[in-house]
């Protein structure tokens, strides 16, 4: 190449600037592409996470719905006891399905015996007092065939136990026992009332609840699993809400525990329960 054809110094500088500009433009395009892919990837990731969360929520809701299925031996919402050869025995029934509702309970017995129904919260101090005063007398009436007894666990006193949900966990325990060890239900209930924690405390731990259930005679891996998983948590809520919506169970101050019915009539004065049983059918 002759000197005449060789680029001048200014031309070489201009060429170098053009090359540098092209490289800078290319680098900017590369960075834009990378940002787009990164942002797009993050967006896709967020979408994927949102989808997973939605699926988990749906599955959780489905699991909650499934867990709301009722325990066996509580087809009407409570567990019933009657006399068999002079002994108090539970009436066995199938469970209520998750989407089902408890069967309507008869208000009277066809044989003329008194039908006693108690709505109790195992965290309720007044329930404990009522049981101490009248449980043995009522069970004597059941043994003699003069009465049947239905106990329906509810949970209305969680608020009194420092947000520990003690009342609900106790009600779940009642339902676990009704399902897996109905013969031991009344003995377990006695354990819970005898060892009832004071209101204003955190109530009993799950381990302490399990200990009381065992002390009442309800044992086995099925019972333990039911307690630890709180299998009937959904049913406790569903059953309690049904009771709270029943205006016939409300007194002047609304619904409270214990609420006792004899032949379908709510007792305003619980001290009259034995008299009401004796007067049944008369």
């Amino acid at each position: 190449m002759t000197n005449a054809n060789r680029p001048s110094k200014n031309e070489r500088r201009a060429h170098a600037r053009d090359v540098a500009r092209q490289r800078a433009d290319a680098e900017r395009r590369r960075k834009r592409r990378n940002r787009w892919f990164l942002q797009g990837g993050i967006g896709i990731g967020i979408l994927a996470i949102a989808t997973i969360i939605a699926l988990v929520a749906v599955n959780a809701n489905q699991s909650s719905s499934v867990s709301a299925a009722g325990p066996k031996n509580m087809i009407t919402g409570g567990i019933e006891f009657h006399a068999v050869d002079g002994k108090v025995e539970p009436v066995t029934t199938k469970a209520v399905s998750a989407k089902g509702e408890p069967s309507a309970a008869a208000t009277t017995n066809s044989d003329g015996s008194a039908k006693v129904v108690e709505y109790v919260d195992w965290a309720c101090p007044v329930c404990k007092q009522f049981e101490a005063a009248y449980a043995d007398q009522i069970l004597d009436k059941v043994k003699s065939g003069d009465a049947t007894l239905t106990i329906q666990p509810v949970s209305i006193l969680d608020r009194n136990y420092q947000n520990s949900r003690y009342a609900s966990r106790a009600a779940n325990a009642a339902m676990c026992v009704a399902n897996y060890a109905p013969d031991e239900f009344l003995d377990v209930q006695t354990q819970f009332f005898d060892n009832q924690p004071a209101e204003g405390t955190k109530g009993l731990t799950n381990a302490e609840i399990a200990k009381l259930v065992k002390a009442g005679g309800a044992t086995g891996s099925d019972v333990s699993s039911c307690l630890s998983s709180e299998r009937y948590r959904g049913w406790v809520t569903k059953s309690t809400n049904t009771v709270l919506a029943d205006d016939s169970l409300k007194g002047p101050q609304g619904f409270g525990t214990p609420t006792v019915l004899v032949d379908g009539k709510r007792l305003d004065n619980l001290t009259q329960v034995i008299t009401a049983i004796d007067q049944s059918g008369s």
Side-chain angles (χ1 to χ4, degrees), residues 10-21:
N10 288 338
E11 288 174 335
R12 288 196 301 271
R13 288 176 177 172
H15 176 71
R17 285 195 297 268
D18 288 340
V19 171
R21 185 172 57 252

Side-chain angles (χ1 to χ4, degrees), residues 176-177 180-182 184-185 188 210 212-220 223-224 227:
C176 289
V177 175
Y180 292 109
E184 318 302 336
F185 185 92
V188 173
L212 292 185
V213 170
K214 183 177 181 180
T219 59
V223 174
S224 297
L227 295 174

Side-chain angles (χ1 to χ4, degrees), residues 149-196:
L149 171 64
T150 299
I151 297 176
Q152 180 154 346
V154 295
S155 170
I156 62 172
L157 294 177
D158 278 342
R159 63 183 181 273
N160 292 347
Y161 288 90
Q162 296 186 17
N163 298 317
S164 70
R165 298 184 54 260
Y166 169 65
S168 290
R169 289 184 291 116
N172 174 75
M175 295 181 183
C176 289
V177 175
N179 187 86
Y180 292 109
D183 290 335
E184 318 302 336
F185 185 92
L186 294 173
D187 288 337
V188 173
Q189 176 167 268
T190 297
Q191 287 291 326
F192 271 79
F193 284 136
D194 286 350
N195 296 278
Q196 188 181 83

Side-chain angles (χ1 to χ4, degrees), residues 119-132:
Y119 295 84
V120 300
D121 186 326
W122 281 3
C124 163
V126 181
C127 295
K128 176 180 179 178
Q129 295 168 10
F130 177 81
E131 289 298 305

